[in-house]
Amino acid sequence: MSREQQAVQQARKAFLTGRSKPLDYRIKQLQNLKQFIKEKTTDIANAMRKDLHKTANATQLFEILGLEGEINLAVSKLAEWAAPRPVNKNLLTIADDVYIQPEPLGVVLIIGAWNYPIAVTLQPLVGAIAAGNAAVVKPSEVSSHTAKVLELLPLYLDPEMYQVVTGGVPETQELLRQRFDHIFYTGSSAVGKLVMEAAAHHLTPVTLELGGKSPCYIDKNCDIRIACRRITWGKYMNCGQTCIAPDYILCESSIQDKVINEIQKCIQEFYTNDPKSFADYGRIINQRHFKRIMALTEDSTVAIGGDSDESEFYIAPTVLRDVTPGSKVMQEEIFGPILPIVIVNDLKEAIQFINEREKPLALYVFSSSKKVIKQMISETSSGALVANDCLVHFTISDLPFGGVGNSGTGRYHGKYSFDQLSHLRSCLIKKLNMEGVNQMRYPPHTTEKLRWARVLLLKQVNLARWRQVAQVATLAALTVFVVQVRCSSKWVNVVNKS
Amino acid sequence: MEKQVVDGLREVFQSGRSRPLQYRKQQLGALHRLITEHQEDIEQALKQDLNRNTYNTSLFELISIENDIKLAESEMADWAAPRPVKKNLNSALDNVYIKPEPLGVVLIIGTWNYPWAMILQPLVGAIAAGNAAVLKPSELSEHSARLMKELLPLYLDKEMYQVVTGGVPETQELLRQRFDHIFYTGSSMVGKLVMEAAARHLTPVTLELGGKSPCYVDKNCDIAVACRRITWGKFANCGQTCIAPDYILCEPSIQDRIVEEIQKTLLEFYQTDPKSSPDYCRIINTRHFDRVLALMNECTIALGGESDRSQCYIAPTVLKDVLPHFKIMQEEIFGPLLPIVTVNGLSEAIQFINAREKPLALYVFSSDKTVIKRMLAETSSGGVTVNDVLMHYTVDTLPFGGVGNSGMGRYHGKHTFDQLSHHRACLIKSFAMEGLNDARYPPLTAARLRKAKFFMQHRLCSCSGICVWAVIATLLAIGLKDNVP
């Protein structure tokens, strides 16, 4: 039996004991996960520095903080999330118990990515644990130092219930041959297809957090200076290796120079004159990606940056101008610190440009005009849309995070992670009395019986609305009571005075 | 041909015609008229396909479709509206919401047992969500397929919604095209092929599959009533219902009683000769007839067992003392055979169920709350009805779907709308308050980190509940003020 098979078997065996069902157990595991992060902060920070040249503060802000937030949210809300969820009934089921019961799925496979190796590997794990599942975690081998730290998870979590399997492509393929109850994959669309194909053999549902080219439209009616600050921040964070980084800019030719000037100012402000020696500027993950990204710039005009150093996998924050749709840099997701500017004549052309391409994971629009924003929203599609900023939707745990079309399927963060990794089981609890009502459905069938069936099935009872009505009525009654009391006491005062 | 159809639909979808709610409502209204004006034709087609009578057609198909259409028409504005979400301190001044959007072109592959409901209910959701759709009715229920192909273009926008008929080759060709969602109802085996095909285009899928839905009858229950309900659910549509109770689990001491009660009920429902009862259906075709009949081979017949191949008729049949390794326990029956497997109590029943694939439905009959509680807590299934069968299907606020081998995704009512929409996360910020953003920009000092942490970690709580209490408290305060000495 391969190591991967063993890991899955152990996890399933642990799951079948039922020990992950009680909420106490899940909360304990989540707290242990938090402890892991706290106690291994230095190890994680060091690993991130080696893998991606991230500073400790950047690791805190862009990986740890979000993860801690997710853990805290899950711990505080778990009882609510896991409780039966009552639903509106019809007349036929009015005396019955009707609700949706969230249940664990079983064994979840989580395949992480290398760009935010802690966040995108462990945030899904938070949802898996909260929902009562067992999990097999496969960190990306590309961020090898962080993968090593993640191997320490079994020292904190229930080691049979949550397994960590490291390795490369062969190990991942072996894992994908096993049967899981859900597969959560973060990575490229190309591999996403292979994951879904493998999942199909076992009818395993999948969540695929993929990528694409996230467009960034800058309207000429906007505060270009601020727009460029926010875009610069979002683009060059983690050296452009962010799935929701603004991939390329679309704008009218009249503002291209201003955009370039402003971005240059910001680069200088954020990363100094020499980003290479600045601690807060990252590096490309490895040589393969370094070469890939450099090749993308070959047929374009450099407006800012362009310098590089292969020995360090360093690529300067770069802006390309007058980029044509046919150029290399517009054929694939850049995932690096290269920011192409493509000229369009107006919003309509920008929308057309976006719609001719695959639906992106994120779409950014900078404009002071509500009309422009509205049009962009209604005439395009994307995983998410942010107006007048970049990336920050990732931090709002009540917003579902995920793609559409080529950028992915499924969503997570906050309660969405819990729901995504649960089975929401429909439950209808009836009693054995009132059998008379059922006559209308039994053969021999008659027109009269059918008439009754229609009435009972087609009328919905909206309990929420009844509750609202009751609330308003109570409030009204209370008001009347109060007014009455005050009036009568005023009257008493008047009488007393006289 | 199939590629042309899909490309054409995509072009029409991209024109934006299906975006306005008015258009969608119009189409739903037209669909409603289709089933009302052609009810008789539909009943006739089903009579030919499955020997279904008019009442059963209404009861099991048309009412559900009508319900979903009415619901979608009245609730669509609500469903399609932006859905606000909780913010954190960072986004306190922003517009944060989820916007449901159409996916694009949806492929709906129907099945033959409820040929109208299984295609039109998903279609209602597809239309309501603003999608275009290709419908592929099952060729096995050929009269219904032909009628659907003829009628749909007379009522719905034929450039936005098309019916493609045919068999396996046509379905395979369709599956080679690129869709934005595939909704498949049918067997688990074909479900795998559908998902595999979908994977090539990263197309999300809803798979409404099947399995063996167990039905546990506790010795503490009103066995007569339990058996009436089970008999109804099992033999409706001649057992060809994805959520029919597939087999019974019970203790040996009540097996004979169960057989007796089912016998009584069968007599009441279908009289002495079910073959001539207008309410008793037929098996869809001779292939399935042969398949179902063969399942009886090793079994002891307690009731029924008669058949007539020329009519694809199999009598309502109960088999007793069935053993786990019998052929009938290896596949979904999808026919009017009801095996009884005896177990020595609830624990063994639960173990039996958990040793098998997760079913689409699970039934438990008991007057004992602890029995019900344990059964629900220790098993998994798509849905559950306790003390009845099939009925969770009729509550449109309950999501209908499977888990594991019985499927993925869910639908009915609003769930169909949600399933066939993209829920786009939207965050609309302004250019103001740029100062607040300084905390996130490099250089990332400890001070900046502290500030950023503060803003990210505080959620804003829901206001409405607090407001109501605040108002009540204020009123009480005003009222009691003068009365406090």
Side-chain angles (χ1 to χ4, degrees):
Chain A
M1 194 189 298
S2 67
R3 185 172 61 112
E4 290 74 24
Q5 272 176 316
Q6 257 184 329
V8 180
Q9 232 187 49
Q10 272 179 8
R12 190 166 295 285
K13 202 166 160 212
F15 175 77
L16 289 173
T17 62
R19 66 175 182 269
S20 62
K21 283 218 171 190
L23 301 192
D24 286 342
Y25 170 92
R26 306 181 203 181
I27 289 177
K28 184 91 193 18
Q29 295 301 313
L30 288 171
Q31 286 164 340
N32 290 350
L33 182 63
K34 207 168 162 197
Q35 209 181 350
F36 164 77
I37 300 165
K38 274 206 155 74
E39 289 182 11
K40 296 295 165 198
T41 293
T42 316
D43 292 320
I44 293 172
N46 288 340
M48 293 287 203
R49 187 100 192 124
K50 291 194 188 125
D51 283 330
L52 288 149
H53 206 255
K54 266 191 222 184
T55 60
N57 285 345
T59 295
Q60 271 296 302
L61 190 57
F62 301 124
E63 295 229 36
I64 304 299
L65 211 59
L67 180 57
E68 272 178 358
E70 289 279 300
I71 296 174
N72 290 339
L73 187 67
V75 167
S76 70
K77 292 278 172 182
L78 190 57
E80 196 187 297
W81 292 352
R85 305 173 186 183
V87 298
N88 283 343
K89 320 181 204 189
N90 52 28
L91 274 182
L92 206 56
T93 48
I94 192 137
D96 307 325
D97 257 342
V98 194
Y99 60 92
I100 298 167
Q101 176 64 56
E103 297 182 340
L105 287 168
V107 184
V108 177
L109 170 63
I110 298 169
I111 302 176
W114 52 259
N115 58 340
Y116 292 89
I118 294 290
V120 308
T121 312
L122 297 187
Q123 275 194 22
L125 179 60
V126 171
I129 296 174
N133 300 296
V136 174
V137 176
K138 164 66 185 69
S140 170
E141 70 280 13
V142 180
S143 44
S144 54
H145 300 91
T146 314
K148 265 228 133 354
V149 178
L150 287 174
E151 277 179 353
L152 300 172
L153 267 173
L155 298 176
Y156 289 79
L157 304 183
D158 181 338
E160 291 167 342
M161 191 72 75
Y162 312 105
Q163 306 256 349
V164 178
V165 173
T166 47
V169 171
E171 287 78 8
T172 310
Q173 286 173 330
E174 179 60 12
L175 273 176
L176 287 170
R177 276 189 275 272
Q178 310 315 313
R179 184 175 183 184
F180 292 94
D181 299 287
H182 195 101
I183 298 177
F184 195 112
Y185 168 76
T186 305
S188 74
S189 304
V191 177
K193 292 181 185 178
L194 302 175
V195 171
M196 188 170 168
E197 219 171 318
H201 295 311
H202 297 291
L203 283 173
T204 301
V206 297
T207 304
L208 305 173
E209 297 280 330
L210 310 176
K213 293 181 80 60
S214 297
C216 179
Y217 176 69
I218 305 178
D219 187 29
K220 60 182 189 287
N221 289 326
C222 86
D223 189 331
I224 294 184
R225 186 187 69 85
I226 292 184
C228 289
R229 271 173 87 72
R230 299 176 180 186
I231 293 169
T232 306
W233 168 72
K235 177 64 179 188
Y236 299 109
M237 179 194 304
N238 206 30
C239 215
Q241 297 161 120
T242 308
C243 49
I244 44 171
D247 189 276
Y248 63 96
I249 287 175
L250 290 167
C251 69
E252 290 183 35
S253 58
S254 58
I255 59 168
Q256 184 177 217
D257 287 331
K258 175 117 203 264
V259 167
I260 291 171
N261 277 338
E262 291 296 337
I263 293 179
Q264 180 138 56
K265 281 190 222 159
C266 292
I267 291 174
Q268 220 149 342
E269 181 193 332
F270 294 167
Y271 304 111
T272 74
N273 278 327
D274 183 21
K276 192 175 180 187
S277 53
F278 186 65
D280 275 319
Y281 190 69
R283 294 291 183 269
I284 302 301
I285 185 76
N286 61 22
Q287 191 184 53
R288 180 169 77 84
H289 279 281
F290 173 89
K291 285 193 146 114
R292 177 188 66 79
I293 296 166
M294 288 311 291
L296 293 178
T297 61
E298 275 165 16
D299 52 357
S300 298
T301 311
V302 174
I304 305 174
D307 35 301
S308 63
D309 180 350
E310 190 168 335
S311 67
E312 279 189 42
F313 304 148
Y314 166 77
I315 301 178
T318 301
V319 175
L320 307 169
R321 60 176 298 147
D322 297 309
V323 173
T324 58
S327 44
K328 280 185 177 176
V329 78
M330 290 307 291
Q331 305 317 312
E332 61 179 78
E333 184 176 0
I334 299 165
F335 227 66
I338 313 292
L339 181 51
I341 303 178
V342 177
I343 302 300
V344 285
N345 286 326
D346 53 24
L347 175 65
K348 194 158 168 252
E349 203 180 301
I351 289 175
Q352 204 181 354
F353 189 95
I354 292 169
N355 287 343
E356 281 166 1
R357 290 157 176 74
E358 294 292 350
K359 294 174 188 176
L361 187 54
L363 196 154
Y364 301 109
V365 50
F366 286 81
S367 177
S368 308
S369 160
K370 284 204 167 108
K371 198 158 162 265
V372 165
I373 295 172
K374 200 170 172 209
Q375 199 178 340
M376 183 61 94
I377 293 176
S378 61
E379 296 183 25
T380 61
S381 188
S382 60
L385 181 140
V386 181
N388 300 327
D389 208 341
C390 293
L391 314 190
V392 286
H393 61 293
F394 190 92
T395 68
I396 300 177
S397 53
D398 283 300
L399 274 181
F401 186 81
V404 63
N406 239 45
S407 52
T409 176
R411 68 270 192 96
Y412 75 126
H413 282 184
K415 186 181 181 198
Y416 292 102
S417 302
F418 178 91
D419 282 358
Q420 187 79 25
L421 299 177
S422 296
H423 169 53
L424 299 172
R425 189 187 201 183
S426 293
C427 299
L428 169 58
I429 319 295
K430 295 181 82 74
K431 298 194 187 60
L432 287 162
N433 57 8
M434 304 277 276
E435 179 60 4
V437 179
N438 285 337
Q439 273 308 116
M440 46 136 215
R441 74 192 196 192
Y442 296 145
H445 294 298
T446 62
T447 318
E448 188 59 29
K449 280 184 176 182
L450 189 59
R451 222 196 326 265
W452 269 110
R454 285 183 65 88
V455 167
L456 290 173
L457 283 174
L458 286 176
K459 283 222 160 318
Q460 247 213 34
V461 175
N462 192 339
L463 285 179
R465 212 157 282 165
W466 283 17
R467 226 175 279 130
Q468 265 174 4
V469 168
Q471 259 178 353
V472 171
T474 314
L475 221 53
L478 203 58
T479 313
V480 166
F481 168 73
V482 161
V483 166
Q484 234 184 22
V485 164
R486 284 192 65 98
C487 281
S488 64
S489 70
K490 259 198 190 129
W491 188 244
V492 166
N493 282 340
V494 165
V495 166
N496 279 347
K497 274 195 184 136
S498 64
Chain B
M1 193 269 281
E2 283 76 12
K3 183 170 193 319
Q4 262 180 323
V5 168
V6 181
D7 288 345
L9 286 173
R10 192 172 295 288
E11 216 183 295
V12 176
F13 169 76
Q14 276 164 352
S15 73
R17 192 189 305 173
S18 61
R19 287 211 171 229
L21 298 193
Q22 199 43 39
Y23 170 90
R24 306 180 203 180
K25 283 191 183 166
Q26 236 171 32
Q27 296 302 310
L28 288 175
L31 186 62
H32 195 187
R33 280 197 319 275
L34 186 161
I35 59 175
T36 352
E37 289 170 17
H38 290 271
Q39 186 168 333
E40 277 185 34
D41 296 321
I42 294 172
E43 286 164 356
Q44 183 58 24
L46 283 166
K47 178 121 184 89
Q48 290 172 288
D49 286 328
L50 289 149
N51 198 47
R52 187 104 64 71
N53 68 15
T54 58
Y55 306 105
N56 275 323
T57 290
S58 264
L59 198 59
F60 291 121
E61 296 214 51
L62 301 183
I63 290 181
S64 308
I65 301 169
E66 207 183 315
N67 185 42
D68 271 5
I69 293 174
K70 284 200 169 131
L71 193 69
E73 279 175 332
S74 71
E75 302 293 310
M76 196 190 302
D78 222 19
W79 294 352
R83 306 175 188 183
V85 301
K86 278 200 191 116
K87 320 181 201 187
N88 54 26
L89 270 184
N90 247 346
S91 51
L93 300 172
D94 308 323
N95 222 349
V96 193
Y97 58 91
I98 297 165
K99 181 159 183 296
E101 298 184 339
L103 286 167
V105 185
V106 177
L107 170 63
I108 301 171
I109 302 177
T111 187
W112 52 261
N113 59 340
Y114 295 92
W116 294 84
M118 301 292 104
I119 283 221
L120 297 187
Q121 273 187 278
L123 178 62
V124 169
I127 295 174
N131 300 295
V134 174
L135 310 189
K136 167 64 187 68
S138 170
E139 67 280 17
L140 262 55
S141 43
E142 51 174 327
H143 299 93
S144 295
R146 206 176 306 136
L147 186 62
M148 202 178 285
K149 181 148 174 98
E150 186 193 312
L151 291 180
L152 222 88
L154 301 177
Y155 287 80
L156 299 190
D157 182 344
K158 54 173 164 288
E159 293 184 323
M160 192 70 79
Y161 315 104
Q162 292 207 21
V163 180
V164 172
T165 47
V168 171
E170 286 79 9
T171 311
Q172 284 174 330
E173 185 57 28
L174 271 176
L175 287 170
R176 276 188 272 271
Q177 310 314 314
R178 184 177 182 181
F179 292 94
D180 299 285
H181 195 102
I182 297 177
F183 194 113
Y184 168 76
T185 307
S187 73
S188 303
M189 200 182 60
V190 176
K192 291 181 183 176
L193 302 174
V194 171
M195 189 170 171
E196 219 177 274
R200 281 177 220 124
H201 296 290
L202 284 172
T203 300
V205 296
T206 305
L207 304 174
E208 296 280 331
L209 310 176
K212 294 182 78 59
S213 298
C215 179
Y216 177 67
V217 181
D218 187 34
K219 60 181 187 286
N220 289 325
C221 85
D222 187 335
I223 294 185
V225 172
C227 290
R228 274 173 82 70
R229 300 177 179 186
I230 294 169
T231 306
W232 166 70
K234 176 65 179 189
F235 299 106
N237 210 33
C238 211
Q240 297 161 120
T241 307
C242 50
I243 44 169
D246 189 276
Y247 63 96
I248 288 178
L249 289 167
C250 68
E251 290 187 33
S253 58
I254 57 168
Q255 185 177 215
D256 286 336
R257 175 87 202 280
I258 288 178
V259 171
E260 202 186 298
E261 290 297 335
I262 294 179
Q263 179 156 47
K264 276 194 225 159
T265 312
L266 283 172
L267 208 63
E268 183 195 326
F269 289 176
Y270 304 114
Q271 296 81 57
T272 45
D273 181 25
K275 196 172 178 189
S276 53
S277 160
D279 296 317
Y280 193 72
C281 299
R282 297 293 181 265
I283 301 298
I284 183 72
N285 60 23
T286 47
R287 180 169 76 83
H288 278 280
F289 172 90
D290 293 335
R291 179 190 66 79
V292 173
L293 211 63
L295 294 177
M296 268 201 281
N297 283 343
E298 308 140 288
C299 306
T300 310
I301 298 175
L303 296 172
E306 304 89 2
S307 62
D308 179 349
R309 196 168 191 271
S310 69
Q311 277 196 35
C312 287
Y313 165 78
I314 300 178
T317 302
V318 176
L319 309 160
K320 60 184 285 179
D321 295 315
V322 173
L323 298 178
H325 65 269
F326 283 4
K327 194 147 181 248
I328 199 170
M329 292 307 291
Q330 307 317 315
E331 60 178 82
E332 186 176 358
I333 298 165
F334 228 67
L337 310 182
L338 180 53
I340 304 178
V341 177
T342 54
V343 285
N344 287 325
L346 179 62
S347 297
E348 204 181 300
I350 290 174
Q351 211 178 357
F352 188 94
I353 292 168
N354 287 342
R356 287 156 178 74
E357 293 293 351
K358 294 175 188 177
L360 186 55
L362 190 148
Y363 303 109
V364 49
F365 286 81
S366 180
S367 310
D368 185 345
K369 283 201 167 110
T370 49
V371 167
I372 297 169
K373 201 167 174 215
R374 256 196 81 195
M375 180 61 92
L376 263 58
E378 296 180 32
T379 61
S380 187
S381 62
V384 181
T385 296
V386 172
N387 291 329
D388 208 340
V389 296
L390 314 189
M391 295 306 287
H392 59 288
Y393 186 96
T394 69
V395 185
D396 61 41
T397 45
L398 280 179
F400 184 79
V403 64
N405 240 44
S406 52
M408 59 183 78
R410 66 270 196 88
Y411 75 125
H412 282 185
K414 184 182 184 199
H415 300 288
T416 323
F417 177 91
D418 283 348
Q419 183 84 159
L420 301 177
S421 297
H422 168 53
H423 296 264
R424 192 184 200 183
C426 296
L427 169 57
I428 319 295
K429 294 184 82 78
S430 73
F431 287 99
M433 314 281 269
E434 178 61 4
L436 281 182
N437 282 340
D438 281 339
R440 72 191 197 192
Y441 296 143
L444 278 177
T445 58
R448 283 188 168 183
L449 181 61
R450 250 193 322 268
K451 198 173 167 197
K453 263 183 153 163
F454 178 78
F455 280 100
M456 259 184 67
Q457 281 172 336
H458 288 82
R459 297 173 87 225
L460 295 181
C461 43
S462 130
C463 289
S464 56
I466 296 179
C467 278
V468 173
W469 285 115
V471 169
I472 292 178
T474 312
L475 283 174
L476 281 173
I478 297 172
L480 294 172
K481 194 173 68 128
D482 292 335
N483 296 326
V484 174

